[in-house]
Amino acid sequence: MIAFNHILLFGVGLIGGSLSLALRKSGYTGKITGIDRNEASLARARELGLIDEMARSTADAVGEADLILLAAPVAQTAPLLASIRPWLREDVLITDVGSTKSDVVAAAYRELGDRVGCFIPAHPIAGREVNGPDAAIDDLFAGKKLVITPLPENTGKDIEKVAMMWMQCDAVIHFLSPQDHDNVFAMVSHLPHLLSYALVDQVARHPNAGLMFQYAASGFRDFTRIAGSSPEMWRDISIANKTQLLQELDSYLAELELLRGMLASDDAAGVEAVYANAQQARLNWITTIEAAEKQGGTS
Amino acid sequence: MIAFNHILLFGVGLIGGSLSLALRKSGYTGKITGIDRNEASLARARELGLIDEMARSTADAVGEADLILLAAPVAQTAPLLASIRPWLREDVLITDVGSTKSDVVAAAYRELGDRVGCFIPAHPIAGREVNGPDAAIDDLFAGKKLVITPLPENTGKDIEKVAMMWMQCDAVIHFLSPQDHDNVFAMVSHLPHLLSYALVDQVARHPNAGLMFQYAASGFRDFTRIAGSSPEMWRDISIANKTQLLQELDSYLAELELLRGMLASDDAAGVEAVYANAQQARLNWITTIEAAEKQGGTS
């Protein structure tokens, strides 16, 4: 069951709002308070029933909460932690949903000092390309991974409390180090986002943009779905994880230069070998994923 | 109505097979014969009812057909045209479904000579990331664009016959020059395929490939859906349209270098501007597309 009685959400958009809906669906009867720098979003979240009340002040809301969840773009982690630090209860736990972890962990050490043990860094591998309270859905996390990157200062019991909350939302708990987390997601998430944004930007700035958008079809639509994501959120992620992201971007640039050379020299066999390796690897991946999903999402 | 009585399909995979199913669904009662270099595919197409009969020989089959449809990878266009040239009926029309048009048109002039007027170059903007006769579906072309890139030697009446056949499959007819076609599709289709293949290949060759595939999620799945496509088909397209593809690839490399510099110098505002421009352009595109779909796909 859920160990918390009063949850405070910093950020009531897609992720914070979906967590709230999922918790209610699972039978959570405690209080959920919200804070958001966007007052219209906050009011809308109240209207939609994502939160029971809008916080009167940070001091009051933090002083009452036994779980604080940071669900704002990752660059706000440090200022948010600094702003809540003076009002934390003795028994509070703090967790987050940031798509990067090394920078979030560094911010936690810097801002929370001797209270860092109450911060359990986490990242739900779930999202949609739409944002805000109206995008929240109650099954966003169902069957999806929730990665916890624990600190040495965390107790097993506290980690379990946060894990249990996410398990109530039908998420599947995984553990990684912050560094492994950031390596992996630079490659399979942060780089694809950058590449997708870059392609749409190129089309939009093209002299023939109108004609091109007219003939763009389902392949383009899927390739660029993630370019519909929040620019601010992905700006923060790109900058926060830039060391890993630049490393994978450089590998990708080298891969493109290789393909460029093959095309320029009519090396059809070379081009086909790259394409075929990718096709086979993706097929293996999809097959593995589908097998895991049939087993109920455990892994 | 459909002006043809005997259609010969060169290639009985996804596109050829789906055309056959769509024609039958629309009430076409003429004959459909198939030829495929892959004998197993040809037998399977017969088994699935995609074709009425397997051609006994190219000479016989071509001599009987009043419409010949080339639905094989584009590099086979020239050899196929050369092989059918001696057996063409006086009243035959030939059309194709190739994703590139300048090279196909050049092959038609070269191989058909004074008979080039019977060749109507076309490209249905529809596909799936699965291939072969078993992937064929009867609504693949419904609401999708069919681009015809007519030759000066084509008569309006012949173009109309081919267009009518596709309209029976609920496709929406468009006209472009071969050059405009290849410019547009290099950007919105051929480049995204190359980029998607390149990304999966990079992950597959990564020292951490296992961990990375484990955490790849829905964003990665959509971005790489087109990397599930036929490597041979996309090798041929990439090489056939390499001049346009290299031009757009070079622009894309420049765009990535720009973003690389912004990341390296922590230019968060610069990164956000690119992402925001892409997000807005994609939103405008989706909105326009959805409005057009509500109007019944006319454009």
Side-chain angles (χ1 to χ4, degrees):
Chain A
M1 291 312 305
I2 296 167
F4 311 111
N5 296 308
H6 191 156
I7 297 175
L8 173 58
L9 302 177
F10 274 89
V12 294
L14 169 66
I15 301 291
S18 294
L19 176 65
S20 172
L21 290 176
L23 287 173
R24 290 299 185 205
K25 192 180 173 191
S26 82
Y28 173 70
T29 54
K31 204 166 176 180
I32 302 179
T33 302
I35 300 191
D36 202 295
R37 61 194 165 141
N38 182 328
E39 299 215 358
S41 289
L42 191 60
R44 182 66 182 146
R46 176 71 192 78
E47 206 171 278
L48 291 166
L50 304 179
I51 54 173
D52 298 313
E53 58 174 37
M54 305 187 271
R56 294 174 306 285
S57 74
T58 299
D60 286 351
V62 171
E64 287 165 10
D66 56 4
L67 180 78
I68 298 172
L69 184 114
L70 308 184
V74 289
Q76 292 173 52
T77 307
L80 282 177
L81 290 174
S83 74
I84 66 176
R85 172 74 182 82
W87 324 105
L88 295 175
R89 282 166 51 161
E90 270 310 304
D91 63 344
V92 76
L93 291 182
I94 310 170
T95 187
D96 79 316
V97 297
S99 296
T100 56
K101 292 270 81 65
S102 300
D103 68 309
V104 162
V105 165
Y109 279 107
R110 205 164 55 237
E111 303 299 341
L112 295 177
D114 59 1
R115 293 297 308 275
V116 78
C118 75
F119 183 75
I120 320 283
H123 175 205
I125 315 307
R128 305 176 69 194
E129 74 280 21
V130 282
N131 308 297
D134 285 285
I137 51 177
D138 67 10
D139 62 349
L140 185 65
F141 310 111
K144 302 295 167 62
K145 296 186 178 69
L146 183 282
V147 180
I148 298 179
T149 63
L151 309 179
E153 291 83 354
N154 296 149
T155 68
K157 202 177 161 191
D158 287 346
I159 293 171
E160 197 184 322
K161 282 183 189 173
V162 169
M164 284 297 289
M165 177 183 75
W166 285 104
M167 287 168 71
Q168 289 290 319
C169 305
D170 296 326
V172 183
I173 308 299
H174 284 241
F175 293 95
L176 286 173
S177 71
Q179 186 62 38
D180 280 348
H181 173 281
D182 289 355
N183 286 346
V184 164
F185 287 95
M187 182 74 241
V188 300
S189 172
H190 309 170
L191 179 60
H193 275 79
L194 181 148
L195 300 179
S196 182
Y197 281 124
L199 186 84
V200 181
D201 185 58
Q202 180 177 342
V203 178
R205 293 186 300 93
H206 203 287
N208 278 335
L211 202 61
M212 286 173 170
F213 278 124
Q214 190 187 347
Y215 288 98
S218 63
F220 184 84
R221 191 194 288 232
D222 287 351
F223 185 92
T224 64
R225 182 180 66 78
I226 49 182
S229 308
S230 158
E232 182 192 4
M233 174 180 159
W234 285 94
R235 171 202 72 188
D236 282 2
I237 292 167
S238 302
I239 299 282
N241 200 25
K242 76 167 188 173
T243 308
Q244 300 302 329
L245 179 54
L246 283 172
Q247 188 175 313
E248 299 305 347
L249 176 55
D250 285 344
S251 296
Y252 190 72
L253 286 165
E255 173 108 16
L256 292 186
E257 289 293 350
L258 192 78
L259 274 164
R260 198 200 179 290
M262 290 170 176
L263 283 177
S265 62
D266 287 321
D267 177 6
V271 170
E272 186 176 5
V274 172
Y275 290 5
N277 187 48
Q279 187 209 31
Q280 187 59 52
R282 188 176 187 279
L283 184 64
N284 295 345
W285 172 66
I286 291 279
T287 308
T288 307
I289 278 191
E290 284 173 356
E293 279 171 0
K294 274 189 194 147
Q295 288 170 27
T298 56
S299 60
Chain B
M1 292 311 309
I2 297 167
F4 310 111
N5 296 309
H6 190 156
I7 296 175
L8 172 60
L9 302 177
F10 274 88
V12 293
L14 169 65
I15 301 293
S18 294
L19 176 66
S20 172
L21 290 176
L23 287 174
R24 289 301 184 204
K25 192 181 173 192
S26 82
Y28 173 71
T29 54
K31 203 164 175 181
I32 302 180
T33 303
I35 300 192
D36 201 295
R37 62 194 164 141
N38 181 328
E39 299 215 359
S41 289
L42 191 60
R44 182 67 182 145
R46 177 72 191 80
E47 205 171 279
L48 291 166
L50 303 180
I51 55 174
D52 298 312
E53 59 174 37
M54 304 186 271
R56 295 173 305 285
S57 74
T58 298
D60 286 350
V62 171
E64 288 166 12
D66 56 5
L67 180 78
I68 298 173
L69 184 113
L70 309 184
V74 287
Q76 292 173 51
T77 306
L80 282 177
L81 290 174
S83 75
I84 67 176
R85 172 74 183 84
W87 324 105
L88 294 174
R89 282 165 49 160
E90 270 310 304
D91 62 345
V92 75
L93 291 183
I94 310 172
T95 187
D96 79 316
V97 297
S99 296
T100 56
K101 292 270 81 68
S102 299
D103 68 307
V104 162
V105 165
Y109 279 108
R110 204 166 54 239
E111 304 299 341
L112 296 178
D114 59 359
R115 293 296 308 272
V116 77
C118 74
F119 183 73
I120 320 282
H123 174 205
I125 315 306
R128 304 177 69 193
E129 74 279 22
V130 281
N131 308 298
D134 284 286
I137 51 177
D138 67 11
D139 62 350
L140 184 65
F141 309 110
K144 303 294 168 62
K145 296 184 177 70
L146 182 282
V147 180
I148 298 177
T149 63
L151 308 180
E153 292 83 353
N154 295 150
T155 68
K157 202 176 161 191
D158 286 345
I159 293 172
E160 196 184 324
K161 283 184 188 173
V162 170
M164 285 297 290
M165 177 183 75
W166 285 103
M167 288 168 72
Q168 290 290 320
C169 306
D170 295 326
V172 183
I173 309 300
H174 284 242
F175 294 94
L176 286 174
S177 71
Q179 186 61 36
D180 280 349
H181 173 281
D182 288 356
N183 285 345
V184 164
F185 288 95
M187 181 73 243
V188 300
S189 173
H190 309 168
L191 180 60
H193 275 80
L194 180 148
L195 300 178
S196 183
Y197 281 123
L199 187 84
V200 181
D201 185 58
Q202 180 177 341
V203 178
R205 291 185 301 95
H206 203 287
N208 277 334
L211 201 61
M212 286 173 170
F213 278 124
Q214 190 186 346
Y215 288 97
S218 62
F220 183 84
R221 191 194 288 231
D222 288 352
F223 185 92
T224 63
R225 182 180 66 78
I226 49 182
S229 309
S230 158
E232 182 192 6
M233 174 179 160
W234 285 94
R235 170 203 72 187
D236 282 2
I237 292 168
S238 301
I239 298 283
N241 200 24
K242 77 168 187 171
T243 308
Q244 300 302 330
L245 179 54
L246 283 172
Q247 187 174 315
E248 299 305 346
L249 176 56
D250 285 344
S251 296
Y252 190 72
L253 286 165
E255 174 109 16
L256 292 186
E257 290 293 350
L258 192 78
L259 275 164
R260 196 199 181 291
M262 290 171 177
L263 284 177
S265 62
D266 287 320
D267 178 5
V271 171
E272 186 176 5
V274 173
Y275 289 7
N277 187 48
Q279 187 209 31
Q280 188 59 52
R282 188 176 188 281
L283 184 64
N284 295 345
W285 172 65
I286 291 280
T287 308
T288 308
I289 279 189
E290 283 171 357
E293 279 170 359
K294 272 186 195 149
Q295 289 169 26
T298 56
S299 59

